[in-house]
Amino acid sequence: MANGIDKKALFRLKAEPYLKPISDLGVGFYNLDENTAKIEFQLYNAKGTLQISENNIDAYAYFESANGSVSDVIDLEVLDGLNGIVGITLDKEFLQASTDTKVKGQVYVGVNNADNDPKNNEVAVFREFTFEVADALINKISSFTKIEYIRMFDQLKARILQRVEDIEQAIANGADYVTEMRLVKDQAITQINQTVTDGKNYIDEVVNQYNQDVYTIKSTAINDVNTSKNDAISSINNITEQSTNNVENVTNTAIEHVDDKLNEFNQAILDNEFVKPEGLNDKLSSLTWQKYKLTQDDGKPTFYTDIDPLTLPPGQYQISYMRKNPFNNNGSAMYNVDILQGIDNTKQVIAVLSYTGQVFIKNVHKGTDLGWKELTKTQTDTGWIPFNLINGGNSNVQFKNEIDNGFDCAYRITTNGSVTRKTIRLNGANLVNNQLIAQLPQNLFKNVHSFPIRTPIKSNYAGGYITGKPSGEVYFFVNGDVSAWTETRYIYGEYSWTD
């Protein structure tokens, strides 16, 4: 229940085989806590926080009081699967049974075995921890105080009984009011009946007058409609007659014009004024326009399969199973090909591999094939991938300066051909010397990288620096007097490198 009064405690549990002393969580609950005593655990190992969900693990806990009281095996709720956080709410009955004792607990995580094969069973037991359960202060009220509360309750009870007696007396005196209310009711009924009779007479008069008015209006409207109808029919007949005359005049004129043109056409044929087929070829040849066909009539390239592009004339082609392709193989691939041919036995072949967009060019100079060259380069960019500082570091404090409004903790990888550039941004506070502040992907740093980082300026230390390792671990170090550094100081900066 999200009531805002939860008493939460978050602790980190590491999956490791090393025996260590029992950890005291340093927290305590009371035996009157109900649905508010919550403990959250962040599960992690040497590689970082565990990625968990209710679909791939079963997490549960068991608690035992120093006085012998024990809890049930309680399932843990997955609160933040990406950060490996699970939680539990302690049972009220167990807290009351464990009053004024120290409670020992342990967390168990088992991997769901989808195929029920015993070889795939995996269960991890995390280190033991303890916390205390105290008696609520209110349970320590003295017997004298309790007697005083009982006496106050008796006095309150006497007052309530007196108030009930007064109310019953008032109800008994209500008989006279009932007689008066009946008299008023009879008078009201008589007045209502008279009002209904008067209203009915008035409505009858209004209805009769309304019927008479409607009949008069209906007669007048019928006469007006008949007059408008007759006028409209007369007007339509006049317009129809006039339109018919106009159509007949236009038709006669069009027929005469077509007859004249047919006569002119027939006379032109007789006079041999049309171009004959042999004359048409001569006229087309004399025109100055591009007469070489580069594509099909619909503008699409000509399709070929299993052919060497150097055997084709200039033009645009689509080739499947292209012989002597840029990869020197016989695999199935579709190429869009442009062929340009110059004088002195020179030719350029530009080929685009359809499914990748790679562009290649082959140059033939004076009959010598110079081979294929790729014109494209593969480029990738992960964009900024944010991350949070760990081990108590505060991430993304939004440091302000005159240049920008600050940036988040993030890293980025860009590849341009064979060159890969990596960049890391850091913005945080609450750090100490020699602290592991981030766990990034392995091999982000192929080698150990150290670089200075911006910090507040003090005379007795020279700032700080960051060291990244191939394991992905990122450490912060104070450069100078460590005693002058406080956890509240910040770091802020960006660093790029190529592997």
Side-chain angles (χ1 to χ4, degrees):
M1 178 177 180
N3 48 32
I5 62 172
D6 291 341
K7 301 163 66 175
K8 294 181 180 178
L10 176 63
F11 301 94
R12 305 182 78 242
L13 291 180
K14 185 173 183 181
E16 58 183 358
Y18 305 110
L19 293 177
K20 293 186 178 181
I22 297 176
S23 299
D24 188 348
L25 300 185
V27 299
F29 299 105
Y30 290 92
N31 54 6
L32 290 186
D33 288 336
E34 183 173 0
N35 295 326
T36 58
K38 298 178 180 293
I39 304 179
E40 296 180 359
F41 302 96
Q42 185 176 42
L43 309 180
Y44 72 102
N45 55 22
K47 296 182 180 180
T49 56
L50 302 181
Q51 307 293 308
I52 62 175
S53 74
E54 294 180 351
N55 295 326
N56 65 353
I57 69 156
D58 287 324
Y60 50 94
Y62 177 76
F63 299 93
E64 181 178 289
S65 169
N67 65 10
S69 300
V70 296
S71 71
D72 295 332
V73 176
I74 307 174
D75 291 334
L76 295 178
E77 180 183 2
V78 177
L79 301 177
D80 186 351
L82 295 179
N83 292 310
I85 296 178
V86 296
I88 185 175
T89 302
L90 296 176
D91 183 66
K92 176 184 177 182
E93 285 71 16
F94 176 70
L95 292 176
Q96 292 178 346
S98 304
T99 301
D100 288 332
T101 66
K102 179 169 288 189
V103 176
K104 181 165 56 177
Q106 197 166 45
V107 172
Y108 311 86
V109 176
V111 178
N112 285 341
N113 189 351
D115 54 9
N116 294 321
D117 188 346
K119 294 186 295 182
N120 295 329
N121 290 336
E122 293 185 6
V123 177
V125 180
F126 289 79
R127 63 186 299 184
E128 297 180 7
F129 54 87
T130 62
F131 60 89
E132 294 185 1
V133 178
D135 191 8
L137 187 59
I138 195 172
N139 290 332
K140 301 176 183 179
I141 296 176
S142 67
S143 299
F144 176 79
T145 303
K146 294 179 181 179
I147 292 174
E148 287 295 321
Y149 287 163
I150 293 172
R151 183 185 306 161
M152 291 172 59
F153 175 78
D154 288 341
Q155 293 174 354
L156 178 61
K157 177 180 178 182
R159 286 190 178 185
I160 293 174
L161 292 176
Q162 181 61 42
R163 187 64 60 90
V164 171
E165 183 178 354
D166 294 341
I167 292 174
E168 290 177 348
Q169 184 65 31
I171 292 174
N173 295 332
D176 295 338
Y177 295 108
V178 172
T179 302
E180 184 177 351
M181 291 171 62
R182 288 177 178 174
L183 179 59
V184 173
K185 181 191 74 171
D186 294 338
Q187 293 175 353
I189 291 174
T190 302
Q191 186 176 358
I192 291 172
N193 291 335
Q194 183 62 40
T195 302
V196 170
T197 301
D198 295 342
K200 183 176 182 300
N201 293 334
Y202 174 75
I203 292 172
D204 290 340
E205 293 178 0
V206 172
V207 170
N208 292 332
Q209 182 64 39
Y210 175 78
N211 290 335
Q212 184 176 357
D213 293 343
V214 169
Y215 179 78
T216 302
I217 294 172
K218 180 186 72 172
S219 300
T220 302
I222 291 174
N223 292 333
D224 292 342
V225 169
N226 289 331
T227 301
S228 298
K229 180 189 69 174
N230 294 331
D231 293 342
I233 291 174
S234 177
S235 177
I236 291 172
N237 290 334
N238 293 334
I239 294 174
T240 301
E241 184 177 357
Q242 182 178 358
S243 299
T244 301
N245 294 333
N246 292 337
V247 170
E248 290 178 352
N249 293 333
V250 172
T251 301
N252 294 332
T253 303
I255 292 173
E256 293 177 358
H257 178 75
V258 172
D259 290 342
D260 293 340
K261 291 300 180 181
L262 286 174
N263 293 332
E264 293 178 5
F265 180 77
N266 292 331
Q267 186 62 40
I269 292 176
L270 294 176
D271 296 339
N272 200 21
E273 293 182 1
F274 284 94
V275 179
K276 295 180 179 180
E278 56 273 14
L280 178 61
N281 292 333
D282 294 338
K283 288 183 176 294
L284 293 176
S285 298
S286 64
L287 296 177
T288 56
W289 59 287
Q290 173 61 266
K291 303 179 182 64
Y292 187 82
K293 188 174 181 179
L294 296 175
T295 65
Q296 300 184 72
D297 293 339
D298 58 1
K300 294 180 181 179
T302 305
F303 178 79
Y304 283 97
T305 182
D306 194 18
I307 193 171
D308 182 355
L310 290 180
T311 62
L312 298 173
Q316 296 182 359
Y317 305 93
Q318 193 172 45
I319 302 177
S320 176
Y321 294 98
M322 186 170 71
R323 296 183 187 176
K324 298 182 180 180
N325 59 67
F327 302 106
N328 295 320
N329 59 42
N330 296 323
S332 174
M334 188 70 70
Y335 293 86
N336 292 316
V337 180
D338 285 346
I339 299 179
L340 307 175
Q341 186 168 348
I343 61 176
D344 200 14
N345 198 13
T346 61
K347 181 179 288 189
Q348 286 79 38
V349 180
I350 301 173
V352 180
L353 187 57
S354 294
Y355 70 93
T356 64
Q358 292 174 271
V359 181
F360 303 89
I361 185 170
K362 177 193 283 285
N363 190 41
V364 177
H365 182 69
K366 293 185 178 180
T368 301
D369 186 349
L370 301 180
W372 291 102
K373 293 182 179 179
E374 184 175 0
L375 301 181
T376 53
K377 289 186 177 181
T378 302
Q379 297 183 358
T380 60
D381 187 348
T382 63
W384 289 109
I385 302 175
F387 64 87
N388 291 323
L389 300 184
I390 61 176
N391 293 330
N394 293 336
S395 305
N396 309 325
V397 296
Q398 292 299 312
F399 172 74
K400 306 290 184 179
N401 59 25
E402 298 178 355
I403 301 176
D404 55 38
N405 290 326
F407 46 67
D408 297 338
C409 293
Y411 68 91
R412 185 176 189 174
I413 304 174
T414 58
T415 301
N416 188 355
S418 61
V419 179
T420 298
R421 175 168 290 276
K422 302 174 181 179
T423 305
I424 183 175
R425 285 177 169 178
L426 291 167
N427 182 1
N430 197 33
L431 307 176
V432 297
N433 181 55
N434 194 20
Q435 177 179 341
L436 174 62
I437 63 174
Q439 179 64 58
L440 301 180
Q442 292 185 1
N443 294 325
L444 179 66
F445 305 93
K446 288 190 176 180
N447 303 300
V448 176
H449 286 264
S450 293
F451 54 91
I453 192 73
R454 180 176 181 176
T455 63
I457 299 175
K458 291 290 182 180
S459 59
N460 47 1
Y461 67 86
Y465 62 94
I466 300 298
T467 297
K469 299 182 177 181
S471 64
E473 295 179 328
V474 180
Y475 287 84
F476 167 72
F477 296 94
V478 176
N479 187 11
D481 185 1
V482 176
S483 63
W485 177 267
T486 62
E487 296 180 1
T488 58
R489 305 195 184 281
Y490 63 83
I491 62 170
Y492 182 82
E494 179 179 304
Y495 175 68
S496 296
W497 71 96
T498 58
D499 290 331

